[in-house]
Amino acid sequence: MSVSLSGRLPKDDKNGLGRISSTLVEDSASTHLIVAVVDCATVTTNMDTGEVIPTARIVAVEAFPGSSADAKQLRRMLREAYEQRTGLQALPFEKTATAPADAAGDLLRDGAGVVVSFPGSSSSSSKTPEEVDLICQAADLVISANLASPTMLARKMRIGHASAERLMQELRRRGVVGEAEDSGEPPVLAEAADLPAIVEAIRGPRADEDQAADDIDPDES
C-alpha cells in the first residue's frame, strides 16, 4: 500500500522548523533532521485499480540541526530503521568521502584570482599574506558561527565552494574543526576565546621576523 503526504505543515507552536531557519539559510547544502507526528487526513480509492491510498498529515514537527548531538542520535536510529526495511546500511542521502586532491589540485583559484595552498604542500611561513588572511578569516567565521560549513564560508567570503572546502581542510589540520561523524557537519573544536591564539599560530611565530628581513637592503647584508 502506498501512502501520500500532505504538503501542509502545522502552524503556531506545532511547527518547530523555525528553530533551524537560520541554519537552513547559512548551510543550505547540508541535511538536517526532523521528528514528525502524523495522522491520516484523507483516504482515497483509485477507481481503476481499487488501491486505497491514505494521506498522512503532519500535525507536529520538531527540527534538529544536522551537526547537533540529538541529530546524530536520530540519524543512527534512522539508519537502523532504514537497514531493517531495505537491507542497506548507508542512508540514500549520506555523503561519501572523496579522495584528497593531488599536489596539482592543492593549488586552486577562486573567482577573485587568489591562489590558496593547503596541507601537504606548504607551511604557514611559505604562504602569501593573502592566503594567510583567508585562513584567518575562515577560522573567525567558523568559530563565531560555531558551524563548520563550506557552504557558509563560500557565501560569506564570496569564494568558490571548492576553495571553501580546502579552507575547511586547513582548519581541520589545525584542530579548529574535527572530523565529521555519521555524515553530519564536523564539530567546531575551538571557542571564541581561542581565536587570538589560533590566528597567531596561523600567521606563524616568524611573521614579524620575515617582514623585518624583507625590509633589509640586500647590499647591506
Side-chain angles (χ1 to χ4, degrees):
M1 176 184 293
S2 60
V3 178
S4 178
L5 179 65
S6 171
R8 289 188 175 185
L9 288 171
K11 297 181 179 180
D12 303 323
D13 61 347
K14 298 181 180 63
N15 185 352
L17 282 177
R19 176 187 179 190
I20 63 169
S21 59
S22 60
T23 303
L24 291 171
V25 173
E26 296 286 347
D27 193 14
S28 58
S30 294
T31 58
H32 309 281
L33 278 78
I34 65 172
V35 174
V37 179
V38 301
D39 67 2
C40 184
T42 61
V43 177
T44 58
T45 302
N46 186 317
M47 300 307 295
D48 293 329
T49 64
E51 180 183 15
V52 177
I53 305 174
T55 297
R57 171 180 54 195
I58 299 177
V59 295
V61 59
E62 291 296 338
F64 303 88
S67 59
S68 67
D70 288 338
K72 291 179 180 179
Q73 178 64 25
L74 289 171
R75 196 181 297 270
R76 283 192 287 268
M77 296 171 62
L78 181 61
R79 186 181 294 108
E80 291 174 0
Y82 183 75
E83 183 177 359
Q84 290 176 2
R85 183 171 60 85
T86 67
L88 303 175
Q89 293 184 346
L91 293 169
F93 57 84
E94 286 184 328
K95 299 175 182 177
T96 56
T98 56
D102 56 17
D106 284 341
L107 297 178
L108 58 102
R109 299 179 185 275
D110 62 20
V114 178
V115 179
V116 184
S117 59
F118 290 92
S121 61
S122 63
S123 63
S124 294
S125 61
S126 62
K127 287 182 170 60
T128 67
E130 291 80 9
E131 294 167 359
V132 172
D133 286 343
L134 282 175
I135 299 170
C136 291
Q137 184 182 354
D140 189 0
L141 288 170
V142 165
I143 294 173
S144 299
N146 193 31
L147 180 65
S149 165
T151 301
M152 181 270 288
L153 289 182
R155 187 175 67 83
K156 293 281 190 179
M157 299 177 68
R158 299 182 182 276
I159 59 177
H161 190 76
S163 298
E165 288 279 6
R166 297 307 181 89
L167 284 171
M168 195 63 68
Q169 291 178 18
E170 180 75 11
L171 297 183
R172 185 177 297 109
R173 184 178 73 85
R174 294 177 177 277
V176 177
V177 301
E179 296 293 338
E181 297 179 359
D182 300 328
S183 299
E185 292 298 328
V188 179
L189 304 178
E191 299 179 353
D194 302 322
L195 184 59
I198 290 171
V199 169
E200 182 178 355
I202 292 173
R203 295 195 179 282
R206 298 187 57 190
D208 294 338
E209 297 177 18
D210 291 343
Q211 181 61 47
D214 290 340
D215 294 337
I216 297 176
D217 187 340
D219 295 334
E220 296 179 0
S221 58

